[in-house]
Amino acid sequence: MAGRSRGLSRTTVSNLVTYALVVIAFVVVQAMVSNRMLTYSLQGQLVPICAYIVMAVSLNLVVGLSGELSLGHAGFMSVGAFTGIVVAASLADAIPNPVLRLIVAMLFGGGFAAIAGFLIGIPVMRLHGDYLAIVTLAFGEIIKNLLNNLYVGIDDAGVHFSFSSAEALGMAQGGKVVINGPQGAVGITKLSTFVIGFVLVLLAVFVVLNLKGSRSGRAIMAVRDNRIAAESVGINTTKYRLMAFVLSAALAGMAGVLYGMNYSSIVPKKFDFNTSILILVFVVLGGMGSIRGSIISATVLTILPEALRAVNDYRMLLYAIVLILVMLVTNNPTLKQLWRRIKGSFRRTPKEPAVASEGGDVDA
Amino acid sequence: MPRIPFIGRKIEDTKMVEYPSDAIIPERDLGKVPVLECRHLGIDFGGLHAVSEFNLTIGQTEIAGLIGPNGAGKTTVFNLLTKVYQPTYGTILLAGKDTAGMTTDQVNKAGIARTFQNIRLFDTLTVEENVMIGLHNEIGCGMWSSIFRLPTHFSAERRFHERAMELLDFFDLEAFASAPAGSLPYGAQRRLEIVRALATNPKLLLLDEPAAGMNPAETAELTANIRKIRDEFNIAILLIEHDMSLVMEICEGIAVLNYGTIIAKGTPEEIQNNPDVIEAYLGKSQGKDEGPASPEADDHGPEAAPAAAAPKEA
């Protein structure tokens, strides 16, 4: 028993705890749903929470692992969402199975978001720090404005695109407008379910944690810690920063599909700067680089406004106060030390015999 | 790698011989392509000629030294060799291959690894991970096979771990393997930087002031380590150092840089007796007092001057 626990590295244990946390949370919530213990509004929040967790985890790839501040993450979410909606609508007859259709839509949404991430990444990866943050912000707004003027329709002949108006689509009889400019996507078939959301969360956590503990992930973190040193040991810094950025965009795109397919209509304005900042808040509050922290903070901060509905007028005020308090408390050196001591005393108790036996090994 | 007891190669064994075009290399490296040949290398920062007409040849297994007063342009030379700066003039041949147009990471792949004057480790990562990052181009494994945990990922990770521990073991750092690199004591951080550079399997190792801030015992250990690296890894080393006793003890060929140009090249004995070098460090001797002529020279103290190492010959 002790031998096995020593065989697992600290990272492996930490990763397993994260997976366990996600699975247990899912089981508990599922049980609560089937026993009707959740309020209707909270139940409606389940899929968005999953989408936000995936957003936070994917942004953590850029902010935590790659060490770059990206302020346009919602842009990739919207690319994914609208791509997924169009794909799902055009495949409505071809793939009758809703789960399969959603998965295909997610693959397309993730793929298109990855392409957008790659195209944006090429110029953005020439920059660092604040400059990079400002440019990603601008690109996020550009994506939003492009989608605000995008019209997509589907008829028997196929998919039609236009950037001027719905009439300009020139569709045949019986054609359906899927995306109607600033009015966004309307008449979406709701395909997203909590189970699929949970699977996507697991996938995102799996991808990010596996990347972190690999050759590529180490290269990304090396660039974050010291770019000049990373170059000096033969790491192509642009390649690995771009890798993190594109992968993060792809996951955000998939989260976008999940989010978009949860509503009957959605407007591009939903994915504006505020959403990008909201996701960044999840990441920063959860701790940059901590996947578990991102998951917890995304969940808590999505539920919090709902939970504060009782004090409706002061809702956002309380939300802000809670945010500030959490930031202050988690950065308080006295409390940090206290926490470390508590953690230390917990850790030492089961470890003592292991240490003793290790000493024995050395002597032998 | 088994622990091989270190047998120091005595510096007296070295015989430097003429190499075509005003250079000298160790006799044993004659007939092999020199690991580094700089020809008319130079860089201008605006109107300032930071380095100019820099010609240097280093043999395949030579330990070479680059010395000079502060601000002479020594680190700039390192930055030129590793393409942190692109040279304004001249060519750099690495094992006979022109490095023109290469970026820093490509130069490393071609065979130059370096350490930094102010230590640059990946502070938040562990010591082992630091070395694994050094092994980045030695062991391949694609992103997708890592993400989906294919067998190639596990075999690559095993090789990463084994090789990293071998290297750490070689430099007595294995005890720190899982500690964050930033938490290591100063001397161990310097050693780790060398290990990380060696992990990239270079042909030429550049050490920028490896003995800075070290006590005499640590410097002695470093001296042994540098010889050990050359002998076990069979590579060339070029070091910048202000500790003259270290330089004179282990370097076979020395180049002295002042105001961006080489003012002297030769064996340690030749450098110690070169009037230009003595002047660069101590100023002209016809002055009233014997004191240092420039504030820079003052920084090294009198023992820094190559001439001061002369008693060693006795």
Side-chain angles (χ1 to χ4, degrees), chain A residues 4-319:
Chain A
R4 202 187 331 151
S5 72
R6 232 192 304 157
L8 292 173
S9 72
R10 189 178 286 181
T11 356
T12 319
V13 172
S14 166
N15 290 356
L16 287 178
V17 169
T18 308
Y19 289 125
L21 180 88
V22 174
V23 173
I24 290 169
F26 170 73
V27 171
V28 169
V29 171
Q30 271 299 48
M32 285 169 86
V33 169
S34 51
N35 292 324
R36 300 182 191 287
M37 283 162 73
L38 287 184
T39 62
Y40 184 73
S41 74
L42 208 54
Q43 214 169 317
Q45 288 287 76
L46 288 178
V47 173
I49 286 173
C50 288
Y52 281 134
I53 289 175
V54 176
M55 288 302 288
V57 169
S58 65
L59 185 61
N60 214 332
L61 193 55
V62 173
V63 175
L65 239 57
S66 179
E68 305 286 6
L69 198 59
S70 168
L71 297 177
H73 211 49
F76 300 122
M77 193 182 187
S78 65
V79 170
F82 287 96
T83 311
I85 287 164
V86 171
V87 169
S90 53
L91 291 177
D93 298 326
I95 309 173
N97 184 332
V99 176
L100 199 61
R101 186 146 32 107
L102 182 63
I103 289 170
V104 172
M106 273 184 183
L107 289 178
F108 271 93
F112 271 69
I115 292 168
F118 182 72
L119 293 177
I120 292 170
I122 291 169
V124 163
M125 286 306 145
R126 292 172 160 269
L127 306 168
H128 299 275
D130 301 349
Y131 304 101
L132 185 143
I134 292 165
V135 173
T136 51
L137 186 157
F139 273 113
E141 290 301 294
I142 290 171
I143 291 176
K144 189 190 80 183
N145 284 314
L146 278 179
L147 290 174
N148 245 333
N149 292 294
L150 176 70
Y151 297 84
V152 178
I154 298 171
D155 63 8
D156 295 335
V159 184
H160 299 258
F161 295 93
S162 166
F163 274 107
S164 52
S165 69
E167 288 75 45
L169 290 171
M171 282 190 298
Q173 278 289 330
K176 198 175 81 174
V177 178
V178 184
I179 295 172
N180 194 6
Q183 286 164 29
V186 283
I188 307 166
T189 327
K190 280 174 72 170
L191 295 176
S192 297
T193 60
F194 179 50
V195 178
I196 293 178
F198 160 74
V199 172
L200 188 63
V201 168
L202 268 190
L203 177 78
V205 172
F206 181 80
V207 166
V208 175
L209 286 182
N210 281 357
L211 186 71
K212 203 175 168 184
S214 77
R215 173 178 175 267
S216 309
R218 278 192 298 269
I220 293 168
M221 291 188 286
V223 178
R224 172 197 67 190
D225 273 15
N226 202 318
R227 191 168 53 87
I228 293 169
E231 274 177 351
S232 86
V233 294
I235 287 170
N236 182 344
T237 53
T238 311
K239 176 184 162 188
Y240 283 98
R241 291 167 75 219
L242 194 61
M243 182 189 278
F245 196 72
V246 171
L247 208 56
S248 157
L251 287 174
M254 294 172 95
V257 178
L258 181 75
Y259 189 87
M261 305 296 283
N262 186 45
Y263 299 98
S264 53
S265 70
I266 196 152
V267 291
K269 255 184 85 177
K270 181 76 195 99
F271 307 103
D272 61 357
F273 179 58
N274 288 333
T275 311
S276 293
I277 290 294
L278 183 73
I279 296 153
L280 188 65
V281 168
F282 296 157
V283 173
V284 173
L285 196 75
M288 284 187 242
S290 162
I291 304 302
R292 212 181 309 157
S294 293
I295 297 170
I296 295 169
S297 70
T299 313
V300 171
L301 290 187
T302 316
I303 295 174
L304 196 62
E306 291 301 317
L308 292 175
R309 233 170 238 290
V311 281
N312 210 358
D313 289 348
Y314 307 101
R315 193 152 66 110
M316 287 327 278
L317 182 68
L318 284 175
Y319 181 85

